[in-house]
Amino acid sequence: MEPIVELIDVIKTFDGREVLKGINFSVMPGEIIGYIGPNGAGKSTTVKILLGMLKKDSGTIRIFNQTLDEKDETYKSRIGYVPENAELYETLTAKEYLLFVGELYGMKEKEIIRKAVLMMDALGIKESFHGRLSGFSKGMRQKVLIISSLIHDPDILFWDEPLSGLDANSVQIIKELLAKLKDEGKTIFYSSHVMDTVEKLSDRILILHGGEVVADGPFNELKKEAAGTLEELFNTLTGFDEHEALADQLLKGIKGEFTHDA
Amino acid sequence: MMRNGLDKEMYESTPIYLKLIDKLAPFYTKIGVDYGQMRTILETKMIMDSRRDPVIQGMSSNEDEREDKNHFFRSLWVYALVSVFMLFLFVYDNWVFQYTTYFSYLFIMVFFTMLANFSTILLDTKDADLIGSKPVSQKTIGAAKATHISIYLISFTFAVGLVIILSTFYFNGILAGILLIILTLLASLWTLGLTIILYATVLKHFDGERLKNIIAYSQISVSIFMVAGYYLMGQIFEIIDPSTFLVEMDLSLGHALLFPMWFVAPFGLLQEGFKMVYVIYTLFLFLGTIGIGILYYINSDKIDRNLQKMNKTKMRVSERSLLENGTEKLLCLSSLEKAYYHFTWQLTKNEREFKTRLYPSIASALVFPLFIFFTTLRGGQSITSQNTLTFSYLPYFTMLSIPMIAVVTQFSVNHKGSWIFELSPGRAKGPFLRAVTKVMLVKILLPMYSFISLLILVLMGFAQSVHLLNGFLLMSVILYFEMKRSVKTLPFTRKYAASEANQGCLSGLIFFVPVFIVSISMIVLQTFIPYAEWGVLLLLISINIWWIKKGFDE
């Protein structure tokens, strides 16, 4: 089987600073990839390059067995995206927003509405179909974003913190959905800072640190390098072990206990 | 095919602008735009413009939500009304004179509106995330933005030109009327095209903070260029016979660059027949239009392609300046007000939208006094009592930027962060508004006023210093009242929306008459009554002390 996504030596710099230092990985159809890394590691940059929202400096990207052509956007109709910062056009109603997104994917009005109502019903927000997004809670907005990423039945999903703000029941629904989408052969990039969710959901973990892939493999295999949870593995690989000392420093900050060098 | 309106219950019929744009579908397709997608984006944006964001999240009532009004279109009649003053042009039967005045006025109004109010649409980075991840080409996004702006800009242009167009049909005939409609439309498209080309070029070659500054300054320089150009127009004509306004165009290389003249030449040909001057200028117009068309085609996707640069910021160590700290100690009385003072100072330093909206207004408020100052000097006139009077009141023109200040301080791109104001211990509104007004006075108006005043002091010595000081104190009082009149919510809590773009101009009109009366009264009082300036000084100091201490308290 051919990889559905392949990155070869992808480099990206911002103002002379190398954010991606030659990223290499490939993803097979039907895989759920836990895509994690500390803040500023280059996760969002990679996803934005894959979505054609940013230009890479060098390297090759193959997606759906074709080399990515930055001028041809048609491949995006097979991708669903939930961005980390849940931005929406808030003056629109949920119905209008989903119609807007669906039509950009070339779908027909009737089809969009039928799908949207069904999915909103499943996530318990059908009553808000005609409500303006500006009046939605964080969780409701997240649900609309998730629906907008699925409405055109994409083959690859890029989900950045998709469970943010969702209640416990909705989280469970989405987790079940992910398993079913995997069975359907969909590929899912799942990016989150909630390690135990990533650990449980992913077939494979990709850890990005300082613009480089520092770990790539199924969690069971990676565990051999550093026993324990994914969180502990993450800390080991990103070289971070000062949690307690820094918590103490925060406490001092709250109390106003300054040392002379602070 | 496409649906008609996003929500059929609310939008039974297709709006007229969409019907017109539908006719251009083959043209869009020909230049590589996906028309269906562009129409969807455009339709959505127009609906969003017709809805105002509730000031406080979640506070809007359902009743308000159902009421979709585009405030921009509803206020266009004001511009039509203002343009009535140009009817005097038809007293004289000289088309070149008539349309030179018309196109100069039109270009200033349209360019100013474009740069100050619609730059935010062109440079909007939110679309990149929401639409950029969908299968939509940058050419389509660019075309949607350009069409979105042109709906407003063309409506605005025709509102400004309406009176003259109708009068042209009546006085100058059908042919001249049709020609004027075509050229007015062309003027609007030129403005949009030139702005897009300018921004695309700047975005291509620069990045980060520098880019933002370049855009802000290019707005100022274009504004200055347009206003200065307007005054230069007077030099193009040689008045042959004042009684009949018989004039002749003077074609020199420098004047040929004033492109509004190119729009006038076809009327010269129409009224006066073949003249080489008019033929050359008409040819310029023709070639210029083709040139802009080609450059637009090349650059139409460049803005969105490079827009990511807009969000990049360099790490900067932010220090409070001496002026900021000093004036805070002098003007702010409570700790809450001090906090808001520094907050406003920093926010207005960093927010691009604030600058792009306010700077053109500052530029045009400065250009007029500077122009008079330098043309008087260049003319070699000696300082007589008459021009002493003129000179000492030149700084008053900087007051013209006050209405725009009162508008821009209501908005912010970071309006969502405004929940923090609700958490402040104590009533936020009074201290916040006092702080914002003080920052605007010190940071924006004081440097402008001082600059013009300094030129006058250098030229005329210190005899006029009390008059100048009184002018500043009056400006401070007027700023207070204008802020009180127009800022109804907490500052920086509203979202920029295209439909509210002309608020600055509107409040400028409301502002102008009372301020004119007050200023003239003060000038008369100080000029004709001995020692009146000292009385005025005392009165203004008292009012200022009052508002600095207690202004905006409920």
Side-chain angles (χ1 to χ4, degrees):
Chain A
M1 203 168 13
E2 294 267 319
I4 195 163
V5 176
E6 200 174 4
L7 278 82
I8 305 156
D9 293 328
V10 173
I11 294 175
K12 175 73 188 170
T13 51
F14 284 125
D15 295 327
R17 194 171 64 90
E18 245 182 18
V19 180
L20 299 181
K21 299 171 180 169
I23 297 275
N24 287 290
F25 65 80
S26 56
V27 181
M28 303 308 277
E31 273 190 307
I32 299 182
I33 305 289
Y35 192 56
I36 56 177
N39 295 331
K43 300 186 300 289
S44 298
T45 306
T46 318
V47 170
K48 284 190 171 175
I49 289 174
L50 281 166
L51 283 165
M53 293 157 70
L54 281 178
K55 276 195 275 187
K56 61 183 182 337
D57 293 349
S58 65
T60 308
I61 294 174
R62 288 180 61 78
I63 196 159
F64 303 119
N65 294 327
Q66 280 182 337
T67 304
L68 187 74
D69 173 4
E70 275 155 353
K71 285 199 170 153
D72 179 15
E73 277 86 7
T74 48
Y75 79 97
K76 291 185 194 173
S77 56
R78 293 173 65 189
I79 294 176
Y81 175 52
V82 172
E84 185 187 9
N85 52 339
E87 290 246 46
L88 290 160
Y89 292 127
E90 289 175 359
T91 41
L92 297 180
T93 65
K95 177 189 172 186
E96 287 167 348
Y97 181 74
L98 292 170
L99 269 173
F100 173 59
V101 173
E103 286 192 342
L104 292 182
Y105 285 119
M107 295 167 68
K108 296 274 182 291
E109 183 182 4
K110 259 193 188 154
E111 187 194 3
I112 302 166
I113 289 180
R114 276 170 52 194
K115 282 180 154 191
V117 170
L118 201 63
M119 287 197 271
M120 283 182 78
D121 189 28
L123 290 173
I125 53 169
K126 192 179 133 191
E127 282 69 35
S128 305
F129 190 51
H130 296 285
R132 279 205 201 163
L133 298 171
S134 56
F136 278 31
S137 70
K138 189 168 186 272
M140 288 164 81
R141 285 179 205 204
Q142 195 66 22
K143 288 174 186 176
V144 173
L145 272 174
I146 289 174
I147 293 169
S148 73
S149 76
L150 293 167
I151 201 149
H152 57 298
D153 191 16
D155 294 318
I156 305 178
L157 285 173
F158 289 100
W159 276 6
D160 204 345
E161 294 290 358
L163 305 181
S164 163
L166 295 190
D167 57 75
N169 286 336
S170 305
V171 166
Q172 203 51 46
I173 298 170
I174 298 298
K175 284 180 180 174
E176 295 284 346
L177 174 69
L178 280 175
K180 289 180 191 298
L181 287 172
K182 176 186 156 57
D183 292 343
E184 295 239 319
K186 310 282 187 194
T187 307
I188 297 141
F189 269 78
Y190 188 96
S191 181
S192 174
H193 295 295
V194 186
M195 293 297 159
D196 42 346
T197 311
V198 179
E199 183 184 322
K200 281 177 194 141
L201 285 175
S202 313
D203 300 320
R204 215 173 106 200
I205 309 273
L206 260 169
I207 302 180
L208 214 65
H209 180 47
E212 287 173 296
V213 177
V214 291
D216 180 1
F219 178 59
N220 286 337
E221 274 179 31
L222 296 177
K223 218 161 60 169
K224 290 172 194 160
E225 290 176 34
T229 60
L230 178 60
E231 197 166 82
E232 285 160 338
L233 172 72
F234 183 83
N235 293 335
T236 309
L237 288 171
T238 54
F240 192 76
D241 57 359
E242 299 168 324
H243 307 85
E244 205 187 333
L246 292 173
D248 279 339
Q249 189 179 325
L250 277 173
L251 195 63
K252 282 181 184 165
I254 297 167
K255 305 271 183 204
E257 295 166 3
F258 306 115
T259 52
H260 58 276
D261 53 334
Chain B
M1 220 11 231
M2 299 298 304
R3 65 199 150 86
N4 294 331
L6 281 173
D7 200 334
K8 277 209 168 128
E9 299 94 84
M10 286 165 65
Y11 298 97
E12 288 293 338
S13 59
T14 308
I16 184 151
Y17 60 82
L18 272 181
K19 281 184 190 163
L20 288 172
I21 292 163
D22 280 342
K23 301 234 184 306
L24 298 172
F27 165 74
Y28 281 108
T29 312
K30 199 161 192 175
I31 60 167
V33 171
D34 182 320
Y35 183 71
Q37 286 181 334
M38 195 214 72
R39 194 182 193 276
T40 304
I41 297 170
L42 188 66
E43 207 178 353
T44 309
K45 293 275 178 183
M46 290 304 286
I47 287 179
M48 281 157 58
D49 288 346
S50 66
R51 292 175 187 167
R52 281 209 239 194
D53 257 10
V55 175
I56 299 167
Q57 294 296 314
M59 289 287 281
S60 64
S61 67
N62 283 334
E63 216 176 344
D64 284 337
E65 292 189 357
R66 285 284 145 200
E67 228 181 294
D68 287 1
K69 291 171 191 163
N70 196 312
H71 295 264
F72 187 86
F73 295 121
R74 285 150 57 97
S75 59
L76 282 179
W77 63 271
V78 179
Y79 298 96
L81 194 68
V82 171
S83 307
V84 168
F85 85 91
M86 279 197 292
L87 276 179
F88 85 91
L89 293 173
F90 292 95
V91 172
Y92 301 101
D93 185 30
N94 186 311
W95 292 11
V96 170
F97 171 72
Q98 288 168 2
Y99 298 113
T100 300
T101 314
Y102 169 73
F103 277 109
S104 308
Y105 176 70
L106 191 75
F107 266 112
I108 286 177
M109 294 293 283
V110 178
F111 249 109
F112 191 79
T113 302
M114 172 69 227
L115 292 176
N117 301 321
F118 296 122
S119 296
T120 38
I121 300 182
L122 276 182
L123 304 174
D124 184 5
T125 50
K126 197 175 177 181
D127 290 347
D129 265 0
L130 285 173
I131 304 175
S133 58
K134 314 290 180 290
V136 183
S137 71
Q138 259 134 2
K139 211 155 205 141
T140 304
I141 300 178
K145 279 184 177 177
T147 313
H148 184 199
I149 296 174
S150 57
I151 290 170
Y152 288 115
L153 208 63
I154 291 171
S155 319
F156 178 81
T157 313
F158 277 98
V160 172
L162 184 71
V163 173
I164 296 299
I165 291 171
L166 292 178
S167 312
T168 296
F169 273 110
Y170 183 74
F171 291 110
N172 298 345
I174 293 172
L175 205 60
I178 292 168
L179 184 63
L180 189 62
I181 288 178
I182 294 168
L183 290 178
T184 302
L185 179 69
L186 195 64
S188 189
L189 296 176
W190 264 54
T191 309
L192 179 64
L194 285 172
T195 311
I196 289 175
I197 293 162
L198 172 77
Y199 283 178
T201 313
V202 171
L203 271 162
K204 196 176 161 191
H205 297 289
F206 302 94
D207 62 350
E209 287 299 310
R210 248 174 90 200
L211 168 76
K212 292 169 194 170
N213 289 335
I214 287 169
I215 285 177
Y217 295 131
S218 70
Q219 288 179 327
I220 298 178
S221 43
V222 171
S223 303
I224 292 176
F225 176 77
M226 293 309 294
V227 180
Y230 182 70
Y231 295 115
L232 282 177
M233 283 293 177
Q235 298 183 8
I236 288 175
F237 293 103
E238 200 183 330
I239 298 175
I240 294 167
D241 183 356
S243 63
T244 59
F245 261 83
L246 188 60
V247 288
E248 203 164 67
M249 281 163 84
D250 165 26
L251 180 72
S252 73
L253 194 64
H255 296 152
L257 287 174
L258 294 170
F259 61 81
M261 293 304 302
W262 305 351
F263 287 74
V264 178
F267 291 97
L269 285 176
L270 204 62
Q271 192 189 28
E272 298 165 37
F274 182 86
K275 268 190 185 174
M276 195 40 96
V277 175
Y278 298 146
V279 173
I280 291 172
Y281 274 40
T282 308
L283 202 67
F284 280 168
L285 176 68
F286 187 68
L287 293 175
T289 306
I290 293 172
I292 286 175
I294 293 169
L295 284 173
Y296 171 77
Y297 181 75
I298 296 168
N299 288 294
S300 62
D301 60 344
K302 296 281 187 301
I303 289 187
D304 286 281
R305 207 168 278 284
N306 293 307
L307 211 55
Q308 33 163 311
K309 292 178 181 176
M310 295 298 284
N311 282 339
K312 268 189 265 165
T313 47
K314 280 218 175 88
M315 200 86 89
R316 242 186 353 200
V317 181
S318 169
E319 296 273 355
R320 289 176 180 175
S321 68
L322 210 61
L323 181 67
E324 183 184 346
N325 276 329
T327 48
E328 173 254 291
K329 285 192 176 64
L330 192 73
L331 296 171
C332 299
L333 303 170
S334 72
S335 59
L336 194 59
E337 199 182 314
K338 284 177 186 182
Y340 281 127
Y341 190 84
H342 289 298
F343 167 77
T344 308
W345 196 287
Q346 299 302 327
L347 186 90
T348 52
K349 189 163 84 182
N350 298 329
E351 216 171 277
R352 190 177 66 243
E353 281 71 9
F354 177 84
K355 295 179 187 171
T356 51
R357 286 195 152 208
L358 185 60
Y359 284 9
S361 180
I362 293 177
S364 53
L366 278 177
V367 161
F368 186 69
L370 283 178
F371 180 81
I372 296 195
F373 189 81
F374 287 112
T375 44
T376 313
L377 279 189
R378 207 176 47 183
Q381 292 181 20
S382 60
I383 298 160
T384 62
S385 61
Q386 201 173 7
N387 62 23
T388 300
L389 190 66
T390 319
F391 274 156
S392 55
Y393 298 107
L394 279 184
Y396 278 54
F397 282 98
T398 51
M399 283 186 207
L400 292 175
S401 57
I402 288 177
M404 200 58 178
I405 288 175
V407 169
V408 290
T409 48
Q410 298 173 44
F411 297 89
S412 170
V413 276
N414 302 308
H415 62 103
K416 279 188 187 162
S418 59
W419 58 270
I420 196 89
F421 309 140
E422 309 289 342
L423 287 184
S424 67
R427 296 184 83 96
K429 199 171 174 186
F432 197 176
L433 278 168
R434 270 202 300 276
V436 171
T437 310
K438 288 168 188 176
V439 171
M440 292 301 113
L441 184 68
V442 174
K443 204 178 165 186
I444 311 284
L445 293 174
L446 180 64
M448 285 166 73
Y449 192 90
S450 308
F451 173 60
I452 307 278
S453 301
L454 207 68
L455 288 177
I456 289 159
L457 284 176
V458 168
L459 191 77
M460 308 196 322
F462 285 86
Q464 296 298 318
S465 48
V466 179
H467 285 208
L468 290 172
L469 184 61
N470 282 347
F472 181 70
L473 292 172
L474 176 70
M475 185 159 74
S476 159
V477 172
I478 288 171
L479 174 69
Y480 166 71
F481 283 109
E482 178 61 12
M483 292 287 282
K484 188 151 177 80
R485 186 188 70 77
S486 64
V487 187
K488 297 292 180 213
T489 59
L490 282 176
F492 309 117
T493 50
R494 297 175 65 188
K495 186 187 170 192
Y496 288 111
S499 58
E500 295 184 60
N502 52 355
Q503 274 209 349
C505 302
L506 260 186
S507 52
L509 291 168
I510 300 166
F511 171 88
F512 189 74
V513 177
V515 168
F516 184 73
I517 294 168
V518 170
S519 306
I520 290 290
S521 314
M522 201 171 101
I523 290 167
V524 169
L525 204 70
Q526 294 189 101
T527 313
F528 297 107
I529 300 173
Y531 303 110
E533 68 261 39
W534 296 101
V536 171
L537 179 67
L538 269 179
L539 179 73
L540 286 173
I541 286 176
S542 325
I543 302 174
N544 272 293
I545 288 175
W546 169 79
W547 90 249
I548 282 170
K549 277 185 171 174
K550 296 197 169 150
F552 303 104
D553 276 346
E554 282 155 16

